[in-house]
Amino acid sequence: MDEQQAQARSQAAAGMQALQRSDGNGALAAFRRAIDLGWPGADVWVASSFAHSLLGDMANRLAALEKALEVDPASVRARLHYGQALVGAGRHEDAETQFRQGLEGVSRMGIRNVEIEKLVEAARDFIGQRAEPEPHPVDDFARQHNVGSEPGDDLFRQSLDILAGRAAPYESRPTRYLYPGLPNRQFYPLEDFTWTEALAAKTPEIRAELDNLLTHQASEADRFAPYVEKTGREGPGVSHPLLDNPQWSAFYLIKQGKRMEENIALCPKTMAAIDAIGEDARPAPAPSVLFSLLKPGARIPPHHGMLNTRLICHLPIILPGQCGFRVGNETREWKEGEVFVFDDTIEHEAWNNSTGPRYILIFEHWRPELSARHRHLVSELFKLGGMAG
């Protein structure tokens, strides 16, 4: 441990001691110094929320917990505390959403300690009391106006759910590059893309190539590599629950802009199906095309993509059942041969609760809202030193 890390640890410990003395201001000052010194993770922000609570500062208590979840969206501790804070703020619908996500995380990860058990008990009690939610005026409005009867009603329907507190709003939060003003949309309607039906029709051919790859060419371990690699584009300092973990693996046809010719030779029809989409499927700076493997029982924790100038496309190939996918406040189940197009800079996660492996063909696509000029500018921007990757 270097000197700065030691100082950060010391400040975090001082903050906890101040909390025990009910010294909210002293605790906050110590936690801020620990954060400035690089103390990692969500827990220091959770502790800061306790200090704000001592000071009766509800707004900053909520803000600290939101920061904790931004740092680590998979922190069930932060999420359950956030649910409690929302109850205190009178935001009961939002609290229920956070509690349900937190309880799901506890069940999935098997976390058990005294603090978590108390949080779980409180969350279950709260949800139990709200088992019969009160009707909201927007429900009558939606019925009267046939909201949902047209394919384009999805965003308006979502606005009603947010207004009624049944869904939480999620924003695009790219980790690397933000192009301002682009729509904050979770899933895109397939009617916006002319190629989806043609690609879906190729599913049997693509499945045949994947089956051949898995059964004849080489062992799975030889062909698929962990999706999150410490030697990957994120760099050696990357921290991720599935870092170098084969539970989430990839077989690349194109990897960060580089064609993997040996792999393409094994899946020529798959590559041809993507090539047929054209330049739209080659967004800057370094697009990838891959088969994504999620092993039985594995879960990809909530995370955000790097840049919002492109969308991510999924074509499910092998689905063993009990597989799910959430983007923002919308959860969907994959269906074989049905394309998903979504914004991965909005918090998203995936899981495989089955006993078999799940395989998805994944590739990227330019945001349709970007003009040819601005696609060119974005492409040129990422050629600058330090930007490519």
Side-chain angles (χ1 to χ4, degrees):
M1 180 183 296
D2 63 26
E3 182 178 351
Q4 182 169 315
Q5 289 176 317
Q7 291 176 355
R9 179 186 289 275
S10 176
Q11 290 298 327
M16 295 306 296
Q17 292 167 4
L19 280 180
Q20 292 171 1
R21 299 191 304 269
S22 297
D23 178 6
N25 285 316
L28 274 180
F31 291 139
R32 285 177 184 140
R33 288 192 292 269
I35 291 166
D36 289 343
L37 287 165
W39 192 244
D43 285 345
V44 68
W45 290 101
V46 175
S48 296
S49 78
F50 299 158
H52 287 300
S53 183
L54 280 174
L55 298 170
D57 187 347
M58 176 60 71
N60 278 316
R61 179 189 178 196
L62 288 167
L65 290 165
E66 288 163 1
K67 181 64 179 179
L69 289 168
E70 180 182 332
V71 171
D72 182 7
S75 171
V76 296
R77 179 172 182 255
R79 199 165 293 281
L80 291 171
H81 276 296
Y82 187 39
Q84 288 195 330
L86 290 168
V87 172
R91 294 167 55 185
H92 291 181
E93 291 84 0
D94 292 341
E96 182 174 351
T97 298
Q98 297 302 319
F99 280 147
R100 289 188 182 280
Q101 290 185 19
L103 291 173
E104 183 183 355
V106 169
S107 175
R108 182 177 72 249
M109 300 176 189
I111 300 171
R112 286 293 181 270
N113 59 51
V114 173
E115 181 189 16
I116 294 296
E117 290 291 353
K118 289 181 177 179
L119 289 168
V120 165
E121 183 179 358
R124 286 174 175 163
D125 287 346
F126 179 84
I127 291 172
Q129 293 168 8
R130 290 176 53 80
E132 294 295 332
E134 296 182 5
H136 196 281
V138 299
D139 297 327
D140 286 336
F141 176 89
R143 283 191 292 270
Q144 292 168 7
H145 294 274
N146 294 318
V147 176
S149 61
E150 298 290 336
D153 287 353
D154 60 324
L155 292 183
F156 187 71
R157 174 74 262 180
Q158 191 178 122
S159 78
L160 297 183
D161 289 338
I162 292 170
L163 184 62
R166 289 189 287 261
Y170 284 83
E171 296 181 355
S172 170
R173 291 184 177 179
T175 60
R176 182 178 173 202
Y177 175 72
L178 171 68
Y179 189 110
L182 293 176
N184 201 66
R185 183 166 202 151
Q186 296 167 175
F187 288 93
Y188 271 66
L190 298 186
E191 308 86 70
D192 290 356
F193 307 93
T194 59
W195 48 264
T196 56
E197 289 188 9
L199 178 63
K202 297 291 184 181
T203 302
E205 295 179 5
I206 296 170
R207 169 69 185 261
E209 289 188 334
L210 177 60
D211 285 339
N212 183 63
L213 173 70
L214 296 175
T215 57
H216 299 300
Q217 297 297 332
S219 72
E220 180 183 286
D222 292 336
R223 287 295 178 188
F224 282 77
Y227 183 82
V228 184
E229 303 171 289
K230 60 176 174 285
T231 57
R233 74 171 78 186
E234 294 88 355
V238 63
S239 176
H240 192 282
L242 292 176
L243 179 64
D244 289 331
N245 189 329
Q247 290 289 99
W248 182 20
S249 295
F251 175 85
Y252 287 94
L253 303 183
I254 298 178
K255 185 175 184 179
Q256 297 170 26
K258 179 182 178 181
R259 289 174 63 89
M260 314 297 285
E261 296 297 347
E262 182 180 355
N263 292 349
I264 291 172
L266 297 174
C267 304
K269 293 180 180 178
T270 301
M271 193 68 249
I274 302 300
D275 286 338
I277 298 171
E279 290 301 314
D280 283 350
R282 300 184 185 93
S288 293
V289 178
L290 62 137
F291 287 111
S292 169
L293 159 64
L294 193 61
K295 290 190 176 180
R299 189 176 191 106
I300 302 169
H303 63 288
H304 298 81
M306 293 191 299
L307 55 153
N308 71 331
T309 49
R310 54 99 170 97
L311 302 172
I312 302 299
C313 308
H314 282 188
L315 177 66
I317 306 300
I318 299 177
L319 297 176
Q322 300 182 57
C323 294
F325 184 56
R326 177 183 68 85
V327 181
N329 55 42
E330 188 173 353
T331 298
R332 294 189 178 185
E333 214 176 307
W334 286 289
K335 297 178 181 178
E336 188 173 318
E338 183 175 300
V339 177
F340 281 173
V341 181
F342 67 98
D343 180 355
D344 77 325
T345 65
I346 295 172
E347 182 187 284
H348 61 290
E349 61 179 329
W351 55 91
N352 178 1
N353 294 333
S354 77
T355 58
R358 180 230 69 179
Y359 294 89
I360 304 287
L361 178 65
I362 299 179
F363 60 98
E364 303 170 25
H365 193 284
W366 278 108
R367 289 286 294 250
E369 300 87 1
L370 291 177
S371 66
R373 168 175 166 74
H374 292 118
R375 292 183 184 192
H376 172 72
L377 289 173
V378 168
S379 300
E380 293 300 304
L381 172 66
F382 280 104
K383 293 178 182 177
L384 295 178
M387 291 291 289

